[in-house]
Amino acid sequence: MTLETTLAAIRPADAEAMTAARDLQARLTKPAGSLGALEELSVRLAGLAGVCPPPRPEPATVAVFAGDHGVHAQRVSPWPQEVTAQMVANFVAGGAVVNAFARQTGADVMVVDVGVAIPLHGGPNLLDANVRRGTRDMTIGPALTREEALAAVEVGIQVARTLVEQGAKALLTGDMGIANTTPAAALIAVFTGTSAGVVTGRGTGIDDDTLAHKVAVVTAALDRHSPDPADPLGVLAAVGGLEHAALTGFILGAAACRVPVIVDGVIAASAAVAAAAFAPDSVAAMVAGHRSAEPGASVALAHLGLEPLLDLGMRLGEGSGAVLALPVVQAAVRVLHEVATFDSAGVSEK
Amino acid sequence: MTLETTLAAIRPADAEAMTAARDLQARLTKPAGSLGALEELSVRLAGLAGVCPPPRPEPATVAVFAGDHGVHAQRVSPWPQEVTAQMVANFVAGGAVVNAFARQTGADVMVVDVGVAIPLHGGPNLLDANVRRGTRDMTIGPALTREEALAAVEVGIQVARTLVEQGAKALLTGDMGIANTTPAAALIAVFTGTSAGVVTGRGTGIDDDTLAHKVAVVTAALDRHSPDPADPLGVLAAVGGLEHAALTGFILGAAACRVPVIVDGVIAASAAVAAAAFAPDSVAAMVAGHRSAEPGASVALAHLGLEPLLDLGMRLGEGSGAVLALPVVQAAVRVLHEVATFDSAGVSEK
């Protein structure tokens, strides 16, 4: 599936299904509005599916897209680059936080090498879709060619399509890549029109000096390329990452399939604003799993008009926040399927 | 198990187990602090259990304590009193929101009639522990005698004890009772030293006039009884409810068993401040499931020093917010059991 045909398949939410979901919520045995954000979420998911009640969002798969970053050479992260590949091995072995969370909430974990610098050993849940062994340093030149960026976007589209064909009813975004909060900050700055100083954060927990340096690096890259937000592929090529581009495609693929995609933290949020730049209607498929402690994530979610479900001060990535939010999304939809109405339960109304 | 022996069994958190949990968190394959509130939660639960890692909090049971309220005669709620009994039937049939959420997160649902006005038909998961067929109107006299309040507290203790003996590793608070946000507001006002106007909310969604009247009703009850927060049983008798008293005992029982108890909304929060008045160390067993939209809940949680896990604008009760938070609590503990260390996974440190 190409980017072009995917964009052509993305449609607005179905107003009739949303009205039906609102009407159904009003007849269920609970005070009107008492489920707060879950009620509106159920309405949005009915609009996405075009039917009320919408399908229950299970089974669910978190796809963890991994890549490396030339900008790591600018010392924006204290972690060595090989940790990307080491953590991929940890995901494949089931030993990372995202694996533990996925076992808790019943999600499947799939790992996609879209741009890791070091060749990886295979595993049953590791897909080799490496486009390039890490990006170039965006402070020196474009991180990717347009062709490489497009290839990574189409990896993400294909992963989404394949998972949906195999039965997934919810997709969750995951990521791994040492230094990947730096391109995420650059992408969010461009697509939301915000300065680097506002959207750049501490990532894994850098100190004040490293943060100031990281802001300067992001600013230098933006000054060098002056990316045009109306050309999202050009932005991804100039200052993006391979996992950011793949996640953009993954979100667009979910939207084209009318399957909800739970957006994790700041890497996913940067891909979400890129996806919205390609196709504004793709926002209908997005559910913000949590509010990352990384400031760019909140800027991106506000730009998209999305309110996150969880706010626990997490800043791990891997898809951990999306996986933790999965039961909330599933519960919101389950209400429409299973809760009795005042009539059916013989409960008096006020 | 009496109240007296239960209070005597409640001990402070174990500092050694908490240190062990902090040390373990620092060795797991993730940046230090990147799991935000979940890390501190895992430390608290280790302190409660007295061992690191603490037992995984499953299986889990939500106990829904149901009661009616004499103060309903003061027109503080637009719903007819018989809805309490009708909703109990809905719980027993599995048709309410708490049932749907419990099926989603794997919790068992138990319903306890501790004070419903109307005799109920039995069911496999309905416990008849009726102390009195609804409280008296607290604006006219004490809602309960001290003996009735104690009996209700001991119902809650016994339910907690029995569930733990049967294998439950987490207890969740649930409640049902038309008009029960009125005694909850009164209890929170007394135990936190806050005025009725601050802690009284819209419950199921009452209008401005009814809210003003409800504040006046709570104020009148407090003025009439001048309850002494140093005498928690007296407070529960004067302005409490049978489900509030039972929940107080349920929380104390969990604390005595060193099993975590996930606190739902404003009714549970009012019981939690009562439990803390009986035994300050019982707070170590409490996990705030969510921030109810009802203002008294936030006042009570702040008084206890508890930060809620979820904040979704919910205000349903039934235990719905506690059940929805269960996977977050389970995930926090699972991390300590299952996530690889830097050493074991061969991941480089910064």
Side-chain angles (χ1 to χ4, degrees), chain A residues 29 32 34 36-37 78 86 90 95 100-101 103-104 204 309-310 312-315 330 334-335 338-340 347-348 350, chain B residues 29 31-32 34 36-37 78 86 90 95 100-101 103-104 309-310 312-315 330 334-335 338-340 346-348 350:
Chain A
T29 44
S34 60
Q86 292 167 344
N90 199 13
F101 282 10
R103 285 188 289 268
Q104 186 63 53
T204 53
L309 293 173
L310 305 180
L312 293 161
M314 287 169 50
R315 51 179 171 79
Q330 292 173 330
R334 191 182 275 260
V335 165
E338 296 185 359
V339 173
V347 174
S348 309
K350 64 181 174 183
Chain B
T29 45
S34 59
Q86 291 167 345
N90 200 11
F101 282 10
R103 284 189 289 268
Q104 185 63 53
L309 294 172
L310 304 180
L312 293 161
M314 287 168 52
R315 51 179 171 78
Q330 293 173 330
R334 190 182 275 259
V335 165
E338 295 185 0
V339 173
V347 173
S348 309
K350 64 181 172 181

Side-chain angles (χ1 to χ4, degrees), chain B residues 152-235:
Chain B
V153 169
E154 292 185 343
V155 164
I157 290 172
Q158 191 54 48
V159 170
R161 290 263 171 196
T162 303
L163 289 172
V164 171
E165 281 166 19
Q166 292 172 349
K169 296 282 189 293
L171 301 180
L172 291 75
T173 71
D175 72 275
M176 181 68 219
I178 294 300
N180 68 4
T181 59
T182 297
L187 293 170
I188 292 169
V190 174
F191 288 116
T192 69
T194 311
S195 75
V198 172
V199 298
T200 306
R202 292 177 189 274
T204 54
I206 57 178
D207 62 22
D208 288 351
D209 286 351
T210 311
L211 176 61
H213 172 64
K214 185 174 171 184
V215 172
V217 166
V218 174
T219 303
L222 296 176
D223 288 348
R224 178 177 193 103
H225 302 289
S226 298
D228 175 7
D231 171 24
L233 194 65
V235 180

Side-chain angles (χ1 to χ4, degrees), chain A residues 148-243:
Chain A
E148 288 164 346
L150 179 61
V153 169
E154 292 186 343
V155 165
I157 291 171
Q158 190 56 47
V159 169
R161 290 265 171 194
T162 302
L163 289 172
V164 172
E165 281 166 18
Q166 291 171 348
K169 295 284 190 291
L171 301 180
L172 291 74
T173 71
D175 71 274
M176 181 67 218
I178 295 300
N180 68 4
T181 59
T182 297
L187 293 170
I188 292 168
V190 173
F191 288 116
T192 68
T194 310
S195 76
V198 172
V199 299
T200 306
R202 292 178 189 272
T204 53
I206 57 176
D207 61 21
D208 287 352
D209 286 351
T210 311
L211 177 59
H213 173 64
K214 187 174 170 184
V215 172
V217 166
V218 174
T219 304
L222 296 175
D223 288 349
R224 177 175 193 102
H225 302 289
S226 298
D228 175 8
D231 171 25
L233 195 64
V235 179
L236 287 170
V239 299
L242 287 153
E243 71 272 40

Side-chain angles (χ1 to χ4, degrees), chain A residues 27-252:
Chain A
R27 296 197 308 276
L28 302 178
T29 44
K30 61 178 178 55
S34 60
L35 288 180
L38 271 63
E39 297 193 15
E40 191 54 27
L41 176 57
S42 77
V43 170
R44 289 187 67 224
L45 294 180
L48 175 67
V51 60
C52 175
R56 281 177 43 199
E58 51 186 295
T61 299
V62 55
V64 185
F65 294 90
D68 278 307
H69 300 277
V71 75
H72 183 267
Q74 298 299 324
R75 301 178 177 277
V76 289
S77 170
W79 296 81
Q81 190 175 69
E82 63 259 30
V83 169
T84 303
Q86 292 167 344
M87 283 301 296
V88 167
N90 199 13
F91 299 143
V92 171
V97 170
V98 70
N99 302 104
F101 282 10
R103 285 188 289 268
Q104 186 63 53
T105 65
D108 294 317
V109 179
M110 176 184 186
V111 190
V112 183
D113 172 8
V114 68
V116 180
I118 300 170
L120 299 169
H121 302 294
N125 58 345
L126 173 63
L127 176 69
D128 177 3
N130 194 290
V131 170
R132 186 187 152 80
R133 299 222 169 273
T135 59
R136 298 173 192 85
D137 183 346
M138 64 166 140
T139 65
I140 296 174
L144 298 164
T145 65
R146 288 181 78 90
E147 292 69 28
E148 288 164 346
L150 179 61
V153 169
E154 292 186 343
V155 165
I157 291 171
Q158 190 56 47
V159 169
R161 290 265 171 194
T162 302
L163 289 172
V164 172
E165 281 166 18
Q166 291 171 348
K169 295 284 190 291
L171 301 180
L172 291 74
T173 71
D175 71 274
M176 181 67 218
I178 295 300
N180 68 4
T181 59
T182 297
L187 293 170
I188 292 168
V190 173
F191 288 116
T192 68
T194 310
S195 76
V198 172
V199 299
T200 306
R202 292 178 189 272
T204 53
I206 57 176
D207 61 21
D208 287 352
D209 286 351
T210 311
L211 177 59
H213 173 64
K214 187 174 170 184
V215 172
V217 166
V218 174
T219 304
L222 296 175
D223 288 349
R224 177 175 193 102
H225 302 289
S226 298
D228 175 8
D231 171 25
L233 195 64
V235 179
L236 287 170
V239 299
L242 287 153
E243 71 272 40
H244 305 67
L247 283 165
T248 303
F250 186 69
I251 293 169
L252 292 170

